[in-house]
């Protein structure tokens, strides 16, 4: 098995104040996306299988992500799409 090596630039560039402000502005969306991933994990690992509550948890998390995304967009923020 071959080991993957990750190489970084020789010069590490710290995030700028603008970068940090962008992260802060998107923090509610980031939290919502984390909750969605956690709900999806619970759904696919449910034994013996997912329940109605598991499905509701995913739908609520999806709705929250959409609300946060729309809130950012209505505030004029451009949100970069992430591969789904």
């Amino acid at each position: 098995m071959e080991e993957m090596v990750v190489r970084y630039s020789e010069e590490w560039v710290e995030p700028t104040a603008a970068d940090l402000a962008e992260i802060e502005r998107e923090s509610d969306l980031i939290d919502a996306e984390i909750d969605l991933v956690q709900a999806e994990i619970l759904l696919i690992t449910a034994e013996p299988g997912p329940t109605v509550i598991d499905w509701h948890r995913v739908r609520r998390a999806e709705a929250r992500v959409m609300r946060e995304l729309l809130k950012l967009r209505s505030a004029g923020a451009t949100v970069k799409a992430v591969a789904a």
Side-chain angles (χ1 to χ4, degrees):
M1 184 166 151
E2 188 175 321
E3 186 176 326
M4 183 171 56
V5 176
V6 178
R7 297 188 191 280
Y8 295 99
S9 169
E10 293 299 319
E11 287 186 36
W12 173 255
V13 179
E14 292 292 326
T16 64
D19 294 334
L20 295 174
E22 180 84 14
I23 292 167
E24 182 64 30
R25 191 173 76 245
E26 293 181 8
S27 65
D28 289 339
L29 176 60
I30 294 167
D31 291 340
E33 290 172 332
I34 290 169
D35 289 345
L36 175 57
V37 170
Q38 289 174 337
E40 291 171 333
I41 290 169
L42 288 172
L43 182 78
I44 63 175
T45 60
E47 288 295 332
T51 65
V52 172
I53 293 172
D54 294 324
W55 285 105
H56 284 288
R57 184 181 296 117
V58 169
R59 297 295 173 248
R60 280 192 310 271
E62 289 172 337
R64 181 176 171 217
V65 167
M66 290 306 297
R67 281 192 309 272
E68 294 300 335
L69 181 62
L70 291 173
K71 187 168 66 173
L72 279 173
R73 292 244 171 116
S74 69
T78 56
V79 179
K80 297 175 185 163
V82 177

